[in-house]
Amino acid sequence: MLTSGVSQLDKRSPEVVMEPNTKYWNKDRTPSVRIVFDNIISKSDALKAVAAGDGKVDIVTMVTPAEAQAFKSDNAKIVMAKAKTVLVGVLNQNKPDSPWKDVKVRQAMNMAIDRKTLIEKGEGGHAELIPAMIQPGRFGYNDGLKPYALDAAKASEVLKAAKIPDATVAIGAGEDQKALFDAMTEQLAKVGLKTKMVDPKGDDFDVKLVWHFDWSPQFPVGVVHREFFGKDGAFRAMPEDPQFDAMFTKLLATPKLEDQEPIVRDIEKYEYDQANVLFLYSPHTLFAVSNRVSFQPYDTFMLELAETKIVKGK
């Protein structure tokens, strides 16, 4: 039995059981494994169970870098995937008299950050440096862009002139992002800014750390960019951007993939220049996996088990 400890779901939910479909059309890939999703067990208990190797739990999803570092077992391992994820800091342009309405201030904020250090201190090295919203090698990646380079002197000059209230940046972050918050605090201090951690669910933030992922086969603008910059985006904290909307409309009216990709690259370049978010990195996706299981994670971050098998003799 393949059991997945998916502790991030509603703990009130019952177990979900999936039986093998013996009538599956592809006889070479006929499912043979019974899958149980346990949404009740806590993640800490699930990690202990997969480490024990007793077969009660074989996969734990949404493992944090700290949990991965602490995980020790002869019966299981941490599996890492470079899924299509992105972590950015949404700059709140909707606050009254927001300094982030000025593109030069937004760009300066991006120049105040050493992303490689953030990856090491905030993610334990489990992330990939990207220039904007799309990873190298992915559909629409713009190879003409480079991550904003650290320029503390220029950033300090611009941010000081911006007269940010009390020279303090309110960062919306969860407790699981404390290491990242601390690393950002160290870096922003070098450009004359203090920080305070605020509730990421509220509106009283300057920068809100937001993780998202691209679940589409080849449509990052529709499921990632739109959420941050589109007029109906769930994470948008800025006025509507007619230029982005026009580019998105053009993309929707373009049926062929080969014609879409140049438009996606142009959108990526536009958002990079506008710096409406603090571009950070692409976090790796981490799983704790029993040695009983041959597990293949997917690029889309979605938990797909089509290639997962029980290892014979385990």
Side-chain angles (χ1 to χ4, degrees), residues 111-168:
M111 290 186 285
I113 294 297
D114 180 352
R115 289 160 181 79
K116 290 184 179 180
T117 298
L118 288 189
I119 289 174
E120 289 303 317
K121 292 188 175 182
E123 300 290 342
H126 290 295
E128 183 176 4
L129 190 61
I130 58 176
M133 310 295 282
I134 300 176
Q135 297 167 315
R138 304 293 189 185
F139 182 82
Y141 174 69
N142 190 324
D143 60 6
L145 304 179
K146 303 297 180 185
Y148 274 88
L150 176 64
D151 190 337
K154 184 174 181 179
S156 179
E157 179 183 352
V158 175
L159 292 168
K160 184 177 180 180
K163 297 180 179 179
I164 296 171
D166 299 323
T168 300

Short mmCIF file of all heavy atoms in Angstrom, two decimals, residues 111-168:
data_model
loop_
_atom_site.label_atom_id
_atom_site.label_comp_id
_atom_site.label_asym_id
_atom_site.label_seq_id
_atom_site.Cartn_x
_atom_site.Cartn_y
_atom_site.Cartn_z
N MET A 111 17.51 45.95 -6.02
CA MET A 111 18.97 46.03 -5.98
C MET A 111 19.53 45.94 -4.57
O MET A 111 20.74 45.83 -4.37
CB MET A 111 19.44 47.34 -6.64
CG MET A 111 19.22 47.38 -8.15
SD MET A 111 19.93 48.85 -8.93
CE MET A 111 18.73 50.10 -8.43
N ALA A 112 18.66 45.99 -3.56
CA ALA A 112 19.11 45.93 -2.16
C ALA A 112 19.27 44.51 -1.65
O ALA A 112 19.73 44.29 -0.53
CB ALA A 112 18.10 46.68 -1.28
N ILE A 113 18.89 43.52 -2.48
CA ILE A 113 18.81 42.13 -2.03
C ILE A 113 19.89 41.26 -2.67
O ILE A 113 20.09 41.28 -3.88
CB ILE A 113 17.41 41.56 -2.37
CG1 ILE A 113 16.33 42.27 -1.56
CG2 ILE A 113 17.37 40.07 -2.12
CD1 ILE A 113 16.45 42.08 -0.06
N ASP A 114 20.58 40.51 -1.84
CA ASP A 114 21.52 39.49 -2.30
C ASP A 114 20.78 38.15 -2.31
O ASP A 114 20.62 37.50 -1.28
CB ASP A 114 22.73 39.44 -1.37
CG ASP A 114 23.75 38.39 -1.78
OD1 ASP A 114 23.46 37.60 -2.70
OD2 ASP A 114 24.82 38.34 -1.16
N ARG A 115 20.30 37.75 -3.45
CA ARG A 115 19.44 36.59 -3.55
C ARG A 115 20.15 35.28 -3.22
O ARG A 115 19.56 34.36 -2.66
CB ARG A 115 18.82 36.53 -4.95
CG ARG A 115 17.79 37.63 -5.16
CD ARG A 115 17.50 37.92 -6.64
NE ARG A 115 16.53 39.00 -6.74
CZ ARG A 115 16.84 40.29 -6.58
NH1 ARG A 115 18.09 40.65 -6.33
NH2 ARG A 115 15.91 41.22 -6.67
N LYS A 116 21.42 35.19 -3.58
CA LYS A 116 22.15 33.95 -3.28
C LYS A 116 22.24 33.74 -1.76
O LYS A 116 22.11 32.61 -1.28
CB LYS A 116 23.55 34.02 -3.90
CG LYS A 116 23.55 33.93 -5.42
CD LYS A 116 24.96 33.90 -5.98
CE LYS A 116 24.93 33.78 -7.51
NZ LYS A 116 26.32 33.76 -8.07
N THR A 117 22.44 34.83 -1.03
CA THR A 117 22.49 34.72 0.43
C THR A 117 21.12 34.34 0.98
O THR A 117 21.01 33.54 1.92
CB THR A 117 22.97 36.03 1.06
OG1 THR A 117 24.30 36.30 0.61
CG2 THR A 117 22.96 35.95 2.58
N LEU A 118 20.06 34.91 0.40
CA LEU A 118 18.71 34.55 0.84
C LEU A 118 18.43 33.07 0.62
O LEU A 118 17.80 32.41 1.45
CB LEU A 118 17.67 35.39 0.09
CG LEU A 118 17.55 36.87 0.43
CD1 LEU A 118 16.31 37.44 -0.26
CD2 LEU A 118 17.47 37.10 1.92
N ILE A 119 18.88 32.54 -0.50
CA ILE A 119 18.67 31.13 -0.79
C ILE A 119 19.37 30.25 0.26
O ILE A 119 18.81 29.26 0.74
CB ILE A 119 19.14 30.79 -2.21
CG1 ILE A 119 18.19 31.39 -3.25
CG2 ILE A 119 19.24 29.27 -2.41
CD1 ILE A 119 18.65 31.23 -4.68
N GLU A 120 20.57 30.63 0.62
CA GLU A 120 21.32 29.85 1.60
C GLU A 120 20.72 29.96 3.00
O GLU A 120 20.51 28.96 3.69
CB GLU A 120 22.79 30.30 1.63
CG GLU A 120 23.57 29.90 0.39
CD GLU A 120 23.55 28.41 0.13
OE1 GLU A 120 23.70 27.64 1.10
OE2 GLU A 120 23.37 28.01 -1.04
N LYS A 121 20.40 31.19 3.42
CA LYS A 121 19.93 31.40 4.78
C LYS A 121 18.43 31.16 4.92
O LYS A 121 17.97 30.72 5.98
CB LYS A 121 20.26 32.81 5.24
CG LYS A 121 21.76 33.06 5.41
CD LYS A 121 22.04 34.42 6.05
CE LYS A 121 23.52 34.59 6.33
NZ LYS A 121 23.81 35.89 7.00
N GLY A 122 17.67 31.49 3.89
CA GLY A 122 16.22 31.36 3.98
C GLY A 122 15.68 30.02 3.54
O GLY A 122 14.61 29.60 3.99
N GLU A 123 16.42 29.32 2.64
CA GLU A 123 15.92 28.07 2.09
C GLU A 123 16.90 26.92 2.27
O GLU A 123 16.67 25.83 1.73
CB GLU A 123 15.62 28.24 0.59
CG GLU A 123 14.58 29.29 0.25
CD GLU A 123 13.18 28.90 0.66
OE1 GLU A 123 12.94 27.70 0.89
OE2 GLU A 123 12.32 29.80 0.73
N GLY A 124 17.97 27.15 3.00
CA GLY A 124 18.96 26.08 3.18
C GLY A 124 19.56 25.62 1.88
O GLY A 124 19.98 24.47 1.74
N GLY A 125 19.61 26.52 0.88
CA GLY A 125 20.15 26.18 -0.43
C GLY A 125 19.15 25.54 -1.37
O GLY A 125 19.47 25.29 -2.54
N HIS A 126 17.93 25.29 -0.89
CA HIS A 126 16.92 24.58 -1.70
C HIS A 126 16.11 25.55 -2.57
O HIS A 126 14.90 25.72 -2.37
CB HIS A 126 16.00 23.77 -0.81
CG HIS A 126 16.65 22.59 -0.18
ND1 HIS A 126 17.13 21.52 -0.90
CD2 HIS A 126 16.93 22.30 1.12
CE1 HIS A 126 17.65 20.63 -0.09
NE2 HIS A 126 17.55 21.07 1.14
N ALA A 127 16.76 26.19 -3.52
CA ALA A 127 16.07 27.10 -4.43
C ALA A 127 16.97 27.39 -5.61
O ALA A 127 18.18 27.18 -5.56
CB ALA A 127 15.68 28.39 -3.71
N GLU A 128 16.36 27.89 -6.68
CA GLU A 128 17.09 28.23 -7.90
C GLU A 128 16.96 29.72 -8.16
O GLU A 128 15.87 30.30 -8.06
CB GLU A 128 16.52 27.44 -9.08
CG GLU A 128 17.25 27.67 -10.39
CD GLU A 128 16.73 26.80 -11.52
OE1 GLU A 128 15.74 26.08 -11.30
OE2 GLU A 128 17.30 26.85 -12.63
N LEU A 129 18.08 30.35 -8.48
CA LEU A 129 18.09 31.77 -8.78
C LEU A 129 17.47 32.00 -10.16
O LEU A 129 17.87 31.37 -11.14
CB LEU A 129 19.52 32.30 -8.75
CG LEU A 129 19.73 33.81 -8.82
CD1 LEU A 129 19.08 34.50 -7.63
CD2 LEU A 129 21.21 34.14 -8.89
N ILE A 130 16.48 32.87 -10.24
CA ILE A 130 15.83 33.19 -11.52
C ILE A 130 15.73 34.71 -11.64
O ILE A 130 15.66 35.42 -10.64
CB ILE A 130 14.44 32.55 -11.64
CG1 ILE A 130 13.51 32.99 -10.50
CG2 ILE A 130 14.55 31.03 -11.67
CD1 ILE A 130 12.09 32.46 -10.61
N PRO A 131 15.69 35.25 -12.85
CA PRO A 131 15.65 36.71 -13.01
C PRO A 131 14.30 37.33 -12.69
O PRO A 131 14.24 38.45 -12.19
CB PRO A 131 16.02 36.91 -14.48
CG PRO A 131 15.67 35.63 -15.14
CD PRO A 131 15.90 34.56 -14.13
N ALA A 132 13.23 36.62 -13.00
CA ALA A 132 11.90 37.20 -12.79
C ALA A 132 10.94 36.12 -12.33
O ALA A 132 11.03 35.65 -11.21
CB ALA A 132 11.41 37.89 -14.07
N MET A 133 10.02 35.69 -13.20
CA MET A 133 8.98 34.74 -12.79
C MET A 133 9.14 33.35 -13.41
O MET A 133 8.44 32.41 -13.03
CB MET A 133 7.59 35.28 -13.17
CG MET A 133 7.32 36.71 -12.75
SD MET A 133 7.28 36.96 -10.97
CE MET A 133 5.65 36.34 -10.57
N ILE A 134 10.05 33.22 -14.39
CA ILE A 134 10.18 31.97 -15.14
C ILE A 134 11.61 31.44 -15.01
O ILE A 134 12.58 32.19 -15.11
CB ILE A 134 9.83 32.17 -16.63
CG1 ILE A 134 8.38 32.67 -16.78
CG2 ILE A 134 10.00 30.88 -17.42
CD1 ILE A 134 7.98 32.98 -18.21
N GLN A 135 11.72 30.12 -14.81
CA GLN A 135 13.01 29.47 -14.66
C GLN A 135 13.72 29.30 -16.00
O GLN A 135 13.06 29.17 -17.05
CB GLN A 135 12.85 28.09 -14.03
CG GLN A 135 12.27 28.08 -12.64
CD GLN A 135 11.85 26.68 -12.24
OE1 GLN A 135 11.22 25.96 -13.01
NE2 GLN A 135 12.20 26.29 -11.02
N PRO A 136 15.05 29.24 -15.99
CA PRO A 136 15.80 28.92 -17.21
C PRO A 136 15.34 27.58 -17.79
O PRO A 136 15.10 26.62 -17.06
CB PRO A 136 17.25 28.84 -16.72
CG PRO A 136 17.29 29.72 -15.52
CD PRO A 136 15.94 29.54 -14.86
N GLY A 137 15.20 27.54 -19.12
CA GLY A 137 14.80 26.32 -19.79
C GLY A 137 13.31 26.09 -19.88
O GLY A 137 12.87 25.20 -20.59
N ARG A 138 12.53 26.92 -19.18
CA ARG A 138 11.08 26.76 -19.20
C ARG A 138 10.47 27.57 -20.35
O ARG A 138 11.09 28.49 -20.89
CB ARG A 138 10.45 27.22 -17.88
CG ARG A 138 11.00 26.55 -16.65
CD ARG A 138 10.64 25.07 -16.60
NE ARG A 138 10.99 24.50 -15.30
CZ ARG A 138 10.88 23.22 -15.01
NH1 ARG A 138 10.45 22.36 -15.92
NH2 ARG A 138 11.21 22.76 -13.81
N PHE A 139 9.24 27.24 -20.69
CA PHE A 139 8.54 27.94 -21.76
C PHE A 139 8.45 29.43 -21.45
O PHE A 139 7.97 29.83 -20.40
CB PHE A 139 7.13 27.36 -21.93
CG PHE A 139 6.34 27.98 -23.06
CD1 PHE A 139 6.52 27.56 -24.36
CD2 PHE A 139 5.43 29.01 -22.81
CE1 PHE A 139 5.80 28.13 -25.40
CE2 PHE A 139 4.70 29.58 -23.84
CZ PHE A 139 4.89 29.14 -25.14
N GLY A 140 8.92 30.26 -22.37
CA GLY A 140 8.83 31.70 -22.22
C GLY A 140 10.00 32.34 -21.49
O GLY A 140 10.02 33.56 -21.29
N TYR A 141 10.96 31.53 -21.06
CA TYR A 141 12.12 32.10 -20.35
C TYR A 141 12.84 33.09 -21.25
O TYR A 141 13.11 32.82 -22.42
CB TYR A 141 13.07 30.99 -19.92
CG TYR A 141 14.36 31.50 -19.32
CD1 TYR A 141 14.36 32.14 -18.09
CD2 TYR A 141 15.56 31.36 -20.00
CE1 TYR A 141 15.54 32.62 -17.54
CE2 TYR A 141 16.75 31.81 -19.45
CZ TYR A 141 16.73 32.45 -18.22
OH TYR A 141 17.90 32.92 -17.67
N ASN A 142 13.16 34.25 -20.69
CA ASN A 142 13.85 35.30 -21.45
C ASN A 142 15.33 35.28 -21.06
O ASN A 142 15.70 35.74 -19.98
CB ASN A 142 13.23 36.67 -21.14
CG ASN A 142 13.73 37.77 -22.07
OD1 ASN A 142 14.89 37.77 -22.45
ND2 ASN A 142 12.84 38.70 -22.41
N ASP A 143 16.16 34.73 -21.94
CA ASP A 143 17.58 34.59 -21.61
C ASP A 143 18.34 35.91 -21.71
O ASP A 143 19.55 35.96 -21.43
CB ASP A 143 18.24 33.52 -22.48
CG ASP A 143 18.17 33.82 -23.97
OD1 ASP A 143 17.71 34.92 -24.35
OD2 ASP A 143 18.55 32.94 -24.77
N GLY A 144 17.64 36.98 -22.07
CA GLY A 144 18.27 38.29 -22.08
C GLY A 144 18.22 38.98 -20.72
O GLY A 144 18.81 40.06 -20.54
N LEU A 145 17.53 38.36 -19.76
CA LEU A 145 17.40 38.94 -18.42
C LEU A 145 18.38 38.29 -17.45
O LEU A 145 18.64 37.10 -17.54
CB LEU A 145 15.97 38.77 -17.90
CG LEU A 145 14.84 39.32 -18.76
CD1 LEU A 145 13.49 39.03 -18.10
CD2 LEU A 145 15.01 40.83 -18.98
N LYS A 146 18.87 39.07 -16.54
CA LYS A 146 19.72 38.58 -15.46
C LYS A 146 19.09 39.03 -14.14
O LYS A 146 18.48 40.10 -14.07
CB LYS A 146 21.13 39.14 -15.57
CG LYS A 146 21.83 38.83 -16.89
CD LYS A 146 22.02 37.33 -17.09
CE LYS A 146 22.73 37.05 -18.43
NZ LYS A 146 22.83 35.60 -18.70
N PRO A 147 19.22 38.22 -13.08
CA PRO A 147 18.68 38.65 -11.79
C PRO A 147 19.22 40.03 -11.42
O PRO A 147 20.39 40.34 -11.70
CB PRO A 147 19.18 37.57 -10.82
CG PRO A 147 19.37 36.36 -11.68
CD PRO A 147 19.84 36.87 -13.01
N TYR A 148 18.39 40.85 -10.80
CA TYR A 148 18.85 42.17 -10.36
C TYR A 148 20.13 42.00 -9.54
O TYR A 148 20.17 41.23 -8.58
CB TYR A 148 17.78 42.85 -9.52
CG TYR A 148 16.75 43.63 -10.32
CD1 TYR A 148 15.60 43.00 -10.80
CD2 TYR A 148 16.94 44.98 -10.60
CE1 TYR A 148 14.66 43.70 -11.53
CE2 TYR A 148 15.99 45.69 -11.33
CZ TYR A 148 14.86 45.05 -11.80
OH TYR A 148 13.92 45.76 -12.53
N ALA A 149 21.16 42.75 -9.91
CA ALA A 149 22.44 42.65 -9.20
C ALA A 149 22.40 43.48 -7.92
O ALA A 149 21.76 44.53 -7.86
CB ALA A 149 23.57 43.14 -10.10
N LEU A 150 23.07 42.98 -6.91
CA LEU A 150 23.17 43.71 -5.65
C LEU A 150 23.96 45.01 -5.87
O LEU A 150 25.08 44.98 -6.37
CB LEU A 150 23.88 42.85 -4.60
CG LEU A 150 24.14 43.51 -3.25
CD1 LEU A 150 22.84 43.85 -2.54
CD2 LEU A 150 24.99 42.59 -2.37
N ASP A 151 23.35 46.12 -5.51
CA ASP A 151 24.00 47.44 -5.59
C ASP A 151 23.53 48.24 -4.38
O ASP A 151 22.64 49.08 -4.48
CB ASP A 151 23.65 48.14 -6.90
CG ASP A 151 24.50 49.39 -7.14
OD1 ASP A 151 25.03 49.95 -6.15
OD2 ASP A 151 24.61 49.82 -8.30
N ALA A 152 24.13 47.94 -3.23
CA ALA A 152 23.67 48.53 -1.97
C ALA A 152 23.82 50.05 -1.97
O ALA A 152 22.98 50.76 -1.42
CB ALA A 152 24.45 47.93 -0.81
N ALA A 153 24.88 50.57 -2.61
CA ALA A 153 25.11 52.01 -2.61
C ALA A 153 23.99 52.74 -3.36
O ALA A 153 23.42 53.72 -2.85
CB ALA A 153 26.46 52.33 -3.23
N LYS A 154 23.69 52.28 -4.56
CA LYS A 154 22.63 52.93 -5.35
C LYS A 154 21.27 52.73 -4.70
O LYS A 154 20.45 53.66 -4.64
CB LYS A 154 22.62 52.37 -6.76
CG LYS A 154 21.61 53.07 -7.68
CD LYS A 154 21.74 52.59 -9.12
CE LYS A 154 20.75 53.31 -10.02
NZ LYS A 154 20.88 52.86 -11.44
N ALA A 155 21.02 51.51 -4.20
CA ALA A 155 19.74 51.23 -3.54
C ALA A 155 19.55 52.13 -2.34
O ALA A 155 18.47 52.69 -2.11
CB ALA A 155 19.67 49.76 -3.13
N SER A 156 20.61 52.29 -1.55
CA SER A 156 20.53 53.14 -0.35
C SER A 156 20.19 54.57 -0.70
O SER A 156 19.37 55.22 -0.04
CB SER A 156 21.86 53.08 0.41
OG SER A 156 21.81 53.90 1.55
N GLU A 157 20.80 55.09 -1.75
CA GLU A 157 20.56 56.47 -2.18
C GLU A 157 19.10 56.68 -2.58
O GLU A 157 18.46 57.64 -2.17
CB GLU A 157 21.49 56.80 -3.36
CG GLU A 157 21.32 58.19 -3.92
CD GLU A 157 22.21 58.45 -5.12
OE1 GLU A 157 23.07 57.60 -5.43
OE2 GLU A 157 22.03 59.50 -5.76
N VAL A 158 18.58 55.77 -3.40
CA VAL A 158 17.21 55.91 -3.88
C VAL A 158 16.20 55.70 -2.75
O VAL A 158 15.23 56.45 -2.61
CB VAL A 158 16.94 54.92 -5.03
CG1 VAL A 158 15.47 54.98 -5.46
CG2 VAL A 158 17.84 55.23 -6.22
N LEU A 159 16.42 54.68 -1.93
CA LEU A 159 15.47 54.37 -0.86
C LEU A 159 15.46 55.45 0.22
O LEU A 159 14.41 55.74 0.81
CB LEU A 159 15.81 53.00 -0.26
CG LEU A 159 15.58 51.81 -1.20
CD1 LEU A 159 16.22 50.54 -0.64
CD2 LEU A 159 14.09 51.59 -1.45
N LYS A 160 16.60 56.06 0.47
CA LYS A 160 16.65 57.16 1.44
C LYS A 160 15.85 58.36 0.93
O LYS A 160 15.10 58.99 1.67
CB LYS A 160 18.09 57.57 1.70
CG LYS A 160 18.25 58.65 2.77
CD LYS A 160 19.71 58.95 3.03
CE LYS A 160 19.85 60.04 4.11
NZ LYS A 160 21.29 60.34 4.38
N ALA A 161 15.99 58.66 -0.36
CA ALA A 161 15.25 59.77 -0.96
C ALA A 161 13.76 59.49 -1.01
O ALA A 161 12.95 60.43 -1.05
CB ALA A 161 15.78 60.04 -2.37
N ALA A 162 13.37 58.20 -0.99
CA ALA A 162 11.95 57.85 -1.06
C ALA A 162 11.20 58.17 0.22
O ALA A 162 9.97 58.21 0.23
CB ALA A 162 11.81 56.36 -1.37
N LYS A 163 11.91 58.40 1.30
CA LYS A 163 11.31 58.76 2.59
C LYS A 163 10.25 57.74 3.02
O LYS A 163 9.09 58.08 3.30
CB LYS A 163 10.71 60.17 2.53
CG LYS A 163 11.74 61.26 2.25
CD LYS A 163 11.11 62.64 2.21
CE LYS A 163 12.18 63.71 1.96
NZ LYS A 163 11.60 65.08 1.89
N ILE A 164 10.68 56.52 3.09
CA ILE A 164 9.81 55.45 3.60
C ILE A 164 9.52 55.73 5.07
O ILE A 164 10.44 55.98 5.85
CB ILE A 164 10.49 54.09 3.41
CG1 ILE A 164 10.67 53.81 1.92
CG2 ILE A 164 9.68 52.96 4.07
CD1 ILE A 164 11.53 52.60 1.60
N PRO A 165 8.26 55.75 5.49
CA PRO A 165 7.90 56.10 6.87
C PRO A 165 8.71 55.33 7.91
O PRO A 165 8.74 54.10 7.89
CB PRO A 165 6.40 55.75 6.94
CG PRO A 165 5.92 55.91 5.54
CD PRO A 165 7.06 55.44 4.68
N ASP A 166 9.38 56.08 8.78
CA ASP A 166 10.20 55.51 9.86
C ASP A 166 11.31 54.61 9.31
O ASP A 166 11.90 53.84 10.06
CB ASP A 166 9.35 54.70 10.85
CG ASP A 166 8.30 55.56 11.54
OD1 ASP A 166 8.60 56.73 11.84
OD2 ASP A 166 7.18 55.06 11.74
N ALA A 167 11.59 54.73 8.02
CA ALA A 167 12.62 53.90 7.38
C ALA A 167 12.41 52.42 7.73
O ALA A 167 13.37 51.66 7.88
CB ALA A 167 14.02 54.35 7.78
N THR A 168 11.14 52.02 7.83
CA THR A 168 10.79 50.67 8.23
C THR A 168 9.93 50.00 7.18
O THR A 168 8.93 50.58 6.73
CB THR A 168 10.05 50.66 9.58
OG1 THR A 168 10.89 51.24 10.59
CG2 THR A 168 9.67 49.25 10.00
#
